[in-house]
Amino acid sequence: MSTLDRWLPLWIVLAMAGGLALGALVPGFDDALDELRIGTVSLPIALGLLLMMYPVLAKVRYEELGRLTGERRMLWASLILNWIIGPLLMFALAWIFLADQPEYRTGLIIVGLARCIAMVLIWSDLACGDGEATALLVAINSLFQIVAYSVLGWFYLTALPDLLGLDTQGFEVSMWEVARTVLIFLGIPLVAGYLTRRIGIQRRGEAWYTQEFVPRIGPWALYGLLYTIVMLFAIQGDAITSKPLDVVLIAVPLLVYFFVMFFAAFWTGRALGLGYARTASLSFTAASNNFELAIAVAVGVFGATSGQALAGVVGPLIEVPVLVGLVYVSLWLGRRWFTDAPGPELREAQPA
């Protein structure tokens, strides 16, 4: 693993601190960033999100999607965990922990609807998961997300609360607003990644593409992530530093969510006999959220300084250290529950 990957949690902490420092030390910096927008799309955030997601989507083996027809257990388990259990669990946690905080509650539900992509590839790799299976599940979830996200957003933010007699506090999200944001921040890099891979392999061959091109663009995903975190924390710096208890309120249901989803998926993989590597892939794709997309939706629909955006920003603040810890939990469980888990020498080679 590269130095950038190995010390990713440190770089993220430094990016958070840098963003907070910019927002606090440069007068009006947060307001100036928030004003750089076209419609509801924040240009500084858009740049970082597109930069972050393109390299990851350019790595996906789109030509291998057909192989999933032979992995129906894993595919169905992933779809059920990601699109039924995950959103329902986050909806329940949001109303249990944040019933009197409608903005944070909505932001948390938006996070729950944004399924795995991007960073899950790193967690799966660190845990010695099946890299190809992870990439394929990410591709399937990416495509499903474009089709279903706006419908699920309307269902969980408007229809279901009304059906249950819950007070939505007037927070209704236009299906078109969400769909537009998904298409911009997921559709554009997805199409770009697909075309890059197809054209690159056709012209230069798969060996050149995977061994030379992909390693060159790979680090830019993390550069984009760090840049985005700096921008978001600069915009949200006042809210984070002035409302530390609110950050804790948002963090608690997120912690419960990550642990429940990870262990539910790990048990499911074991019960289905998927083997360690694919169980690890299933677990991290179920436990991870596409906080890039969640932030984009929250910022695009509600604004960069909204409570919904703050809930999205707290997502990576909690997800990164928790999932780094779950990498080691996965390896530990693998040694005890699976005969095909990586040996001690591989575990010791994983980055700290």
Side-chain angles (χ1 to χ4, degrees):
M1 299 295 287
S2 68
T3 301
L4 184 64
D5 291 339
R6 183 183 298 272
W7 297 102
L8 179 60
L10 173 62
W11 308 139
I12 289 178
V13 170
L14 292 176
M16 293 173 181
L20 292 175
L22 275 176
L25 299 177
V26 181
F29 186 74
D30 52 348
D31 292 332
L33 286 177
D34 193 37
E35 290 175 1
L36 292 173
R37 61 174 59 248
I38 297 177
T40 58
V41 177
S42 171
L43 295 181
I45 304 302
L47 174 62
L49 291 171
L50 294 174
L51 181 64
M52 177 185 358
M53 299 181 73
Y54 164 70
V56 176
L57 291 170
K59 297 178 184 179
V60 174
R61 297 175 179 269
Y62 298 96
E63 65 276 12
E64 296 292 330
L65 286 176
R67 289 187 64 250
L68 279 178
T69 57
E71 301 292 342
R72 293 179 181 176
R73 292 176 302 169
M74 183 178 67
L75 175 59
W76 280 109
S78 178
L79 291 174
I80 291 170
L81 286 164
N82 275 291
W83 297 104
I84 298 178
I85 295 176
L88 277 174
L89 176 62
M90 191 69 91
F91 177 85
L93 292 172
W95 276 97
I96 291 171
F97 287 96
L98 300 169
D100 58 346
Q101 299 285 343
E103 290 192 5
Y104 300 154
R105 185 181 68 227
T106 299
L108 208 64
I109 293 171
I110 288 173
V111 171
L113 295 176
R115 308 312 305 162
C116 66
I117 198 174
M119 294 302 297
V120 70
L121 296 168
I122 294 178
W123 312 135
S124 176
D125 186 56
L126 292 173
C128 298
D130 186 325
E132 186 175 88
T134 305
L136 291 171
L137 290 177
V138 165
I140 289 293
N141 279 288
S142 300
L143 296 171
F144 198 88
Q145 208 150 205
I146 291 176
V147 175
Y149 191 96
S150 59
V151 176
L152 291 174
W154 166 80
F155 177 75
Y156 282 102
L157 294 176
T158 303
L160 186 57
D162 286 344
L163 181 64
L164 298 176
L166 300 173
D167 183 7
T168 61
Q169 298 293 319
F171 286 94
E172 295 188 3
V173 180
S174 163
M175 292 174 63
W176 164 241
E177 286 181 305
V178 177
R180 180 184 58 191
T181 305
V182 173
L183 288 172
I184 291 173
F185 292 108
L186 187 57
I188 291 175
L190 180 63
V191 171
Y194 170 78
L195 291 176
T196 300
R197 178 174 181 82
R198 182 173 181 178
I199 295 172
I201 292 178
Q202 284 180 345
R203 294 187 176 182
R204 302 292 297 274
E206 187 168 358
W208 171 86
Y209 187 85
T210 57
Q211 297 173 19
E212 296 188 36
F213 180 74
V214 167
R216 289 178 188 172
I217 66 170
W220 285 97
L222 297 184
Y223 298 151
L225 171 64
L226 297 176
Y227 162 82
T228 303
I229 289 174
V230 170
M231 294 296 102
L232 287 167
F233 274 75
I235 294 173
Q236 287 282 355
D238 288 341
I240 293 172
T241 55
S242 64
K243 301 177 181 178
L245 292 180
D246 288 13
V247 173
V248 174
L249 282 175
I250 298 168
V252 171
L254 282 170
L255 284 170
V256 175
Y257 173 86
F258 292 136
F259 282 107
V260 170
M261 289 300 296
F262 177 84
F263 285 108
F266 209 92
W267 179 86
T268 299
R270 183 192 183 198
L272 292 175
L274 297 181
Y276 171 76
R278 290 182 178 175
T279 294
S281 296
L282 179 68
S283 300
F284 283 100
T285 52
S288 297
N289 285 90
N290 183 1
F291 57 80
E292 304 96 328
L293 177 60
I295 292 169
V297 170
V299 170
V301 176
F302 299 101
T305 58
S306 64
Q308 291 88 343
L310 176 60
V313 171
V314 174
L317 178 67
I318 304 302
E319 178 172 336
V320 170
V322 168
L323 290 185
V324 168
L326 287 175
V327 166
Y328 294 98
V329 172
S330 178
L331 291 166
W332 181 79
L333 287 175
R335 185 178 71 241
R336 286 157 176 76
W337 287 3
F338 295 89
T339 58
D340 63 339
E345 68 281 357
L346 288 181
R347 288 194 297 275
E348 291 171 2
Q350 297 302 307

